[in-house]
Amino acid sequence: MKKYKETAAFLSLVVVLLLAACSNQAEEVAAMEGEVRKEADGSSASELFIDSLGYFLQEDGTEDAFDDGALGAAEDQTAKADVAEEQKEAQQAEVMIYYGNGASDELSAETSFMEQITAENLVDALSRHNIVSLGTKVNSFEEEEADGKKTLRLDLSKSFYEYLKTMTKEGEKIIMYSVAATFMEAYDADGIFITVDGKILKTEHATYEEPIHYTPGQLKALEGE
């Protein structure tokens, strides 16, 4: 019977100390440990186990070491994520997206990264700055070179024309030059024709029969003004 009590007390002590280690309640451990000692009836095995665990649970910096290790692991994961993002951006094409800032005729610019420079990707990037409507699609896009100059031909869907119709004269100017500047810089071109559904773009404010040319920092007068 004594051996049975000793074994039961020993197992109870293991459970108590494991629970206490998780909750970090040292005072409760001490009280419960005393009760288990009484039940152990002087068992040498249980006393040895108690002494060993008591020494192990002393304030020896184990918890701080664990916290430091967890923090270090988290910082390491963050650093790896940053490196992965930088590597991803390095593998992508870098382009400048131009858009109106609403405060002046000057255009603002934002660096954008995309897997491949295409007319569709550029229009998508412009839509995030409300330069084109979300429904605007690219019907066709071509590059032409003549006399050492490159000219682009961009044909957009009717949604672009409908969007322009809602703009003031100045708003339309900013939109047209934002599209022109973005495409011209992305393709290192000298000018761009912008048409809608294969037809010359005509609005209440202008007719765009000639290619648009844009000089950074300055909005030129539109054709037909």
Side-chain angles (χ1 to χ4, degrees):
M1 178 64 70
K2 181 178 180 180
K3 183 176 181 181
Y4 172 78
K5 288 184 178 181
E6 178 181 324
T7 302
F10 178 78
L11 293 176
S12 298
L13 175 61
V14 172
V15 174
V16 168
L17 290 176
L18 287 176
L19 292 175
C22 295
S23 62
N24 197 25
Q25 298 177 348
E27 293 181 358
E28 292 183 13
V29 172
M32 297 176 74
E33 182 180 307
E35 293 297 325
V36 175
R37 281 180 181 274
K38 292 179 181 179
E39 294 180 7
D41 195 23
S43 169
S44 59
S46 61
E47 288 177 353
L48 177 60
F49 187 77
I50 290 171
D51 292 340
S52 299
L53 282 180
Y55 177 79
F56 177 77
L57 293 175
Q58 288 180 352
E59 296 182 358
D60 58 357
T62 302
E63 183 176 351
D64 291 339
F66 175 79
D67 291 341
D68 291 341
L71 180 59
E75 291 176 344
D76 185 54
Q77 289 297 324
T78 300
K80 289 181 179 178
D82 291 341
V83 171
E85 184 64 24
E86 291 177 358
Q87 291 177 341
K88 181 179 178 180
E89 290 184 353
Q91 295 173 355
Q92 294 181 330
E94 179 179 330
V95 295
M96 297 299 294
I97 304 300
Y98 289 88
Y99 58 95
N101 60 23
S104 68
D105 286 341
E106 300 293 330
L107 296 183
S108 297
E110 175 186 80
T111 301
S112 180
F113 295 91
M114 52 188 67
E115 293 183 1
Q116 184 179 3
I117 297 177
T118 66
E120 290 77 11
N121 286 342
L122 292 178
V123 167
D124 181 64
L126 287 166
S127 70
R128 292 196 289 270
H129 290 285
N130 299 317
I131 294 302
V132 301
S133 61
L134 291 175
T136 299
K137 304 297 181 182
V138 177
N139 293 329
S140 63
F141 176 71
E142 298 177 355
E143 301 177 59
E144 298 177 350
E145 289 197 32
D147 301 326
K149 293 186 177 181
K150 181 188 291 187
T151 302
L152 309 176
R153 291 186 178 273
L154 174 65
D155 188 57
L156 300 174
S157 63
K158 189 177 180 180
S159 296
F160 180 67
Y161 170 71
E162 296 295 337
Y163 187 59
L164 280 181
K165 285 171 60 177
T166 67
M167 298 295 161
T168 63
K169 182 177 180 179
E170 291 304 317
E172 179 179 314
K173 181 186 293 186
I174 289 175
I175 286 175
M176 296 300 290
Y177 276 94
S178 293
V179 175
T182 298
F183 272 80
M184 287 168 58
E185 182 162 328
Y187 289 95
D188 192 23
D190 301 288
I192 181 172
F193 285 98
I194 300 177
T195 56
V196 171
D197 286 342
K199 299 178 182 179
I200 294 174
L201 177 58
K202 295 181 180 180
T203 70
E204 179 184 349
H205 309 297
T207 298
Y208 302 92
E209 297 179 304
E210 301 296 328
I212 300 173
H213 304 280
Y214 175 75
T215 301
Q218 178 183 3
L219 290 175
K220 294 182 178 180
L222 299 179
E223 292 291 335
E225 285 191 328

